[in-house]
Amino acid sequence: MIPPSLHHGPDHTRTAARPSEYLNRIGSGPLLALLFVVLSAIYANSFHGAFIFDDWFNIVENPGVHLESLDRKSLAGAMHGLRGRIERPLAYLSFGLNHYVHGLDVFGYHVVNFLIHVLTALAMYLFILRILRLPLAGGGCADRDRTAAFLAVLLWSTSPIQVTAVTYIVQRMASMAALFFILAMLCWLLARTAARPCRKAGWLALCLLSGLLSLASKENAAMLPPALYLFDLLLVQGLTRNNLWRHLRLAAAPLALLAGAAFLLADPVQILSGGGYGERDFTMWQRLLTQPRVLLLYLSQMLYPIPERFALIHEIELSTSLLHPWTTLPAVGFWLGWLGLGLYLAGRRPLIAFSLLFFLVNHVVESSILPLELVFEHRNYLPSMPLYLLAALGIVALVRDCGFKPLVRYALVLAVVVTVAVQGHAVIRRNALFADPLRLWADNMLKAPGTSRVHVNLGNELYARGMIDKAAQAYATALEVNRYHRRSLLAVPLNNLGTHHLLLGDVEQARAYYEQAIEADRGLIKARIGMVAVLLARKELDAARNFLEQSLEFAPHDLSLLTLRSLIRLKKGDLPGAICAARVVLRKHPIPSPVYKVLGETCRRLGDYTQARRYWVKYANAFPEDLEPGLALVQMADRLNNRELLGRAARRLAGAKGERSWQEVFELLDRLYRLNDLVIPGDPRDMVPLISKGIGGQGIKADLNEDSTHDAT
């Protein structure tokens, strides 16, 4: 019997498939592959981004993560943070493993950061799929679920607000914490919906493990228990009066434990009394008033994601009262309304309520009373996830609404494509800045000219590239702006200007800057090293020695201070003391060391020319651009009347000279001689005949004479 529906032939009245139905037919595998392709395309130019900002002291200058072997002691040492205690151990261990594989080649660090971002997006996709299947989330519609999950992850992962958590290497801490945080929530959901007790126990164990790994990446994971409680209450069980009171009773003990841990780790009594704000240029009250405006800034960046609105360092006016600036009170009102709406919808629209409250809960650590800096974009990496889910659900609802014509549906799909394209373009532009620190800080200076930190970092990059005068101008601007995230950082531009004037030979001006820097931050070792150099330049050896010993109380293992101790003993003629101090350096730092030249000159003065030559050659190999080893070896060759050695020494000196003229070389040596920075005796210009003899011609004399004649003309 033919079914009645087929009596009249094929049905040509069926409506065209909706775009969301096409996505559903594709399946999760191809969708995730497409997501990976999109992310690879927009983050491809991030893989060669340089080390910047906090990367330096957390990775580049942190010997703890410079793993050379994978023995137990080395791995345990890599888990220590910068304060000598276990701090964010998983993140630091990952930096150590990166270093073990490829040293300080940035490519590998960026690859790991990118893969963490991809894995977090995958975990977010799986978590959203499971959420949308819950009855309280209106689940069960596979068409909607897969499409909404894919759109949410696509919009979230391509947003430029995530760039600092992905491209800024050290903020792997934030992305790793978010990855394990979401995995913990996914495992909790699987445990709560598992039918068999053994599976439930297994997922709960994985939830606990993921939570611990998240906490080992960054302290923000302390908000996982409240997030799980909120999630379970709203979306798994449903909010009822009985459920609420029962959960509050059950949560009393864990919350007390969490409060105790917070008391021990964060010392809230000290913070509430203002003790943690001693170094900040704002009070706790000002921070609390400013954070609603900061959160609105984050939200606006998500809604309007153009490159000009993003920066590594933001400049934001402090809120000193509810009416100053005037936007403070409206911002506070907005977030109170946001909170109130979340609570109001908790029993009516639990998914919307959870998304709104999740954003606030996960900003509690970094947007409340803790004396942290005011603004950083990477803080949104985890809290922003459910907001993109709400956006995706709204888009899917509009596309699937039968009241819309197909043309309108495709217009919405086109709008999504354009949004992803705009976000991706912004990500590519931001990544390009991270690849060139000078461009990054120049761009940041235009966006935040009223923050001293930006000018200092711009000055550092200018100085590294030989633009000395422009660097000095940047440091001077930092002093004029006089707004630091910590008061002691006033010492940094003062120290840098001191170094600038010292290298110019203006010893007295350098001394004034170093004194101001040390007054601002007594523990700034670079300024103390500079002050020792000033005292050496003034030939005040006793004062230099006394100041050095005081400085060693702040940093007893500092390589530069210990090297200066051996140098001062050499200059005072204490040769056995110089050797003893130099050997202490080599025991503590068995790497190519500046102390080799102290040992070389000490052995030369003691008449042990074989050892002297060996140390000077070691120093020359470690520091090939330094001119002093060539001069020292020329002197020894002359003393030994060794023509062959003289020739090799003169050629080594000519190699260190590089593209510079001999006139430029001796101008540099004259400056070092006046600063008492050389360990070899005598005026370097007295060795011109010997150098000329060693290289077999009059080229050096002609060069010097020609330059002198040109200067005179």
Side-chain angles (χ1 to χ4, degrees):
M1 180 176 176
I2 300 175
S5 61
L6 298 181
H7 283 175
H8 304 288
D11 181 6
H12 297 288
T13 63
R14 185 181 177 188
T15 58
R18 298 167 184 150
S20 57
E21 291 174 345
Y22 286 123
L23 287 178
N24 185 56
R25 293 172 187 173
I26 292 174
S28 291
L31 286 178
L32 294 176
L34 174 62
L35 177 66
F36 180 79
V37 170
V38 171
L39 292 179
S40 298
I42 66 174
Y43 277 101
N45 67 331
S46 73
F47 292 162
H48 297 285
F51 288 115
I52 60 162
F53 205 31
D54 289 352
D55 290 339
W56 282 90
F57 59 81
N58 279 289
I59 301 172
V60 181
E61 298 173 355
N62 182 5
V65 300
H66 294 175
L67 286 181
E68 299 296 338
S69 64
L70 298 181
D71 59 274
R72 182 177 178 180
K73 182 178 179 181
S74 298
L75 292 173
M79 294 184 185
H80 288 72
L82 299 174
R83 300 173 181 83
R85 63 172 185 262
I86 293 181
E87 184 179 31
R88 303 181 183 181
L90 188 61
Y92 279 110
L93 178 61
S94 73
F95 296 141
L97 294 174
N98 266 128
H99 187 277
Y100 176 77
V101 175
H102 46 73
L104 294 175
D105 181 358
V106 293
F107 182 83
Y109 293 86
H110 283 297
V111 168
V112 172
N113 277 28
F114 174 72
L115 292 177
I116 291 171
H117 186 50
V118 172
L119 290 173
T120 307
L122 174 61
M124 178 180 171
Y125 177 80
L126 296 175
F127 182 51
I128 290 174
L129 274 183
R130 288 286 178 173
I131 288 178
L132 295 178
R133 291 175 184 172
L134 293 172
L136 289 172
C141 179
D143 176 15
R144 181 203 67 158
D145 297 351
R146 187 172 298 163
T147 304
F150 173 71
L151 283 179
V153 173
L154 181 66
L155 292 171
W156 171 82
S157 61
T158 59
S159 173
I161 204 170
Q162 318 302 357
V163 165
T164 50
V166 182
T167 307
Y168 182 17
I169 295 173
V170 78
Q171 287 310 328
R172 177 186 301 178
M173 297 171 176
S175 58
M176 284 181 71
L179 169 61
F180 291 113
F181 194 105
I182 289 299
L183 284 175
M185 296 198 72
L186 174 61
C187 292
W188 176 267
L189 176 55
L190 292 171
R192 295 289 283 118
T193 55
R196 298 179 181 178
C198 58
R199 287 191 175 182
K200 188 182 295 288
W203 287 120
L204 285 175
L206 288 175
C207 174
L208 177 60
L209 175 61
S210 296
L212 292 174
L213 291 175
S214 182
L215 190 61
S217 301
K218 197 173 182 182
E219 296 86 346
N220 300 55
M223 299 312 296
L224 178 60
L228 288 175
Y229 173 78
L230 184 69
F231 174 74
D232 195 276
L233 181 61
L234 296 184
L235 287 167
V236 177
Q237 298 187 51
L239 181 64
T240 64
R241 181 171 297 180
N242 290 336
N243 274 345
L244 180 61
W245 285 113
R246 182 166 58 87
H247 276 76
L248 286 176
R249 288 196 299 271
L250 291 174
L255 286 175
L257 183 62
L258 184 63
F263 184 85
L264 293 174
L265 295 174
D267 196 358
V269 173
Q270 182 190 16
I271 294 171
L272 289 171
S273 64
Y277 285 82
E279 274 287 290
R280 296 297 183 190
D281 63 347
F282 49 82
T283 65
M284 183 182 68
W285 174 244
Q286 289 171 340
R287 189 180 199 280
L288 286 171
L289 286 177
T290 306
Q291 282 305 303
R293 292 170 46 237
V294 171
L295 293 178
L296 271 180
L297 169 65
Y298 296 151
L299 193 60
S300 71
Q301 288 177 307
M302 297 177 213
L303 295 172
Y304 186 40
I306 62 172
E308 290 73 20
R309 306 199 66 239
F310 295 90
L312 185 60
I313 304 297
H314 284 270
E315 178 182 352
I316 188 166
E317 184 181 0
L318 282 174
S319 293
T320 56
S321 72
L322 286 171
L323 301 177
H324 185 271
W326 70 268
T327 51
T328 303
L329 185 58
V332 172
F334 177 87
W335 292 110
L336 288 176
W338 181 288
L339 175 63
L341 180 62
L343 295 175
Y344 174 77
L345 295 175
R348 298 168 175 83
R349 298 282 185 176
L351 183 56
I352 297 176
F354 170 74
S355 300
L356 297 178
L357 297 176
F358 185 89
F359 181 79
L360 295 179
V361 165
N362 281 286
H363 270 298
V364 164
V365 172
E366 293 171 315
S367 295
S368 57
I369 65 172
L370 296 180
L372 305 174
E373 296 179 45
L374 294 172
V375 189
F376 275 126
E377 291 165 11
H378 65 259
R379 293 173 178 172
N380 294 277
Y381 192 77
L382 174 66
S384 64
M385 289 181 180
L387 299 187
Y388 287 96
L389 171 59
L390 293 184
L393 288 172
I395 293 168
V396 171
L398 288 174
V399 171
R400 298 179 75 247
D401 193 323
C402 295
F404 282 107
K405 296 180 180 180
L407 182 62
V408 178
R409 292 176 184 157
Y410 286 108
L412 286 169
V413 173
L414 179 61
V416 171
V417 173
V418 170
T419 300
V420 173
V422 169
Q423 291 194 155
H425 176 255
V427 169
I428 292 171
R429 285 186 57 184
R430 291 291 295 154
N431 287 337
L433 291 177
F434 277 82
D436 184 354
L438 182 58
R439 286 182 59 203
L440 175 72
W441 291 116
D443 174 80
N444 209 147
M445 186 267 292
L446 296 175
K447 296 172 179 175
T451 57
S452 296
R453 170 188 270 187
V454 173
H455 295 285
V456 171
N457 283 281
L458 177 60
N460 292 343
E461 286 301 323
L462 290 167
Y463 201 92
R465 303 191 187 201
M467 292 178 269
I468 309 301
D469 292 336
K470 289 185 177 180
Q473 291 173 9
Y475 298 142
T477 303
L479 294 177
E480 291 174 11
V481 170
N482 196 30
R483 184 178 177 186
Y484 305 89
H485 66 289
R486 289 201 308 270
R487 292 189 178 93
S488 62
L489 290 182
L490 167 65
V492 175
L494 290 169
N495 169 73
N496 294 347
L497 284 169
T499 302
H500 172 67
H501 284 280
L502 181 62
L503 293 177
L504 291 177
D506 189 351
V507 176
E508 295 309 314
Q509 187 64 56
R511 180 173 188 167
Y513 277 120
Y514 284 135
E515 286 176 343
Q516 293 177 65
I518 293 169
E519 182 180 355
D521 183 2
R522 288 177 52 81
L524 185 60
I525 299 304
K526 290 182 178 179
R528 290 182 167 275
I529 291 169
M531 182 60 77
V532 173
V534 164
L535 295 172
L536 285 173
R538 291 167 57 91
K539 296 183 172 56
E540 299 177 12
L541 298 182
D542 289 333
R545 180 193 60 197
N546 293 337
F547 188 82
L548 174 71
E549 296 302 327
Q550 294 172 15
S551 300
L552 281 169
E553 295 178 5
F554 291 90
H557 304 296
D558 185 80
L559 173 62
S560 297
L561 289 175
L562 293 172
T563 301
L564 283 170
R565 174 192 269 174
S566 66
L567 176 63
I568 292 171
R569 290 182 180 179
L570 171 62
K571 288 186 175 292
K572 287 181 66 66
D574 180 8
L575 301 185
I579 291 177
C580 181
R583 286 176 176 168
V584 168
V585 174
L586 293 180
R587 282 199 300 270
K588 292 180 178 293
H589 304 274
I591 57 176
S593 170
V595 83
Y596 285 143
K597 75 174 184 178
V598 174
L599 288 167
E601 178 58 19
T602 305
C603 291
R604 189 196 67 81
R605 295 188 189 184
L606 291 172
D608 188 349
Y609 292 107
T610 301
Q611 282 286 77
R613 181 182 173 189
R614 186 168 68 88
Y615 281 124
W616 274 115
V617 169
K618 277 188 172 185
Y619 181 81
N621 292 336
F623 305 96
E625 295 184 358
D626 198 317
L627 299 163
E628 194 171 10
L631 296 176
L633 293 169
V634 164
Q635 277 188 341
M636 277 193 290
D638 180 56
R639 183 66 62 87
L640 295 171
N641 196 24
N642 187 328
R643 190 175 183 86
E644 181 184 353
L645 177 59
L646 177 63
R648 287 201 300 269
R651 287 192 294 274
R652 181 184 290 274
L653 183 61
K657 164 184 168 293
E659 298 295 325
R660 294 172 291 191
S661 69
W662 284 108
Q663 180 69 18
E664 291 172 330
V665 165
F666 277 94
E667 285 176 355
L668 172 60
L669 290 171
D670 287 342
R671 185 162 65 249
L672 295 175
Y673 179 65
R674 290 194 301 272
L675 293 174
N676 199 20
D677 194 51
L678 302 176
V679 299
I680 58 173
D683 188 336
R685 287 187 180 268
D686 294 339
M687 283 183 273
V688 169
L690 285 175
I691 299 169
S692 181
K693 181 179 177 181
I695 60 177
Q698 298 298 317
I700 179 173
K701 291 183 178 179
D703 188 3
L704 290 171
N705 290 335
E706 181 182 343
D707 287 338
S708 298
T709 303
H710 177 74
D711 292 342
T713 302

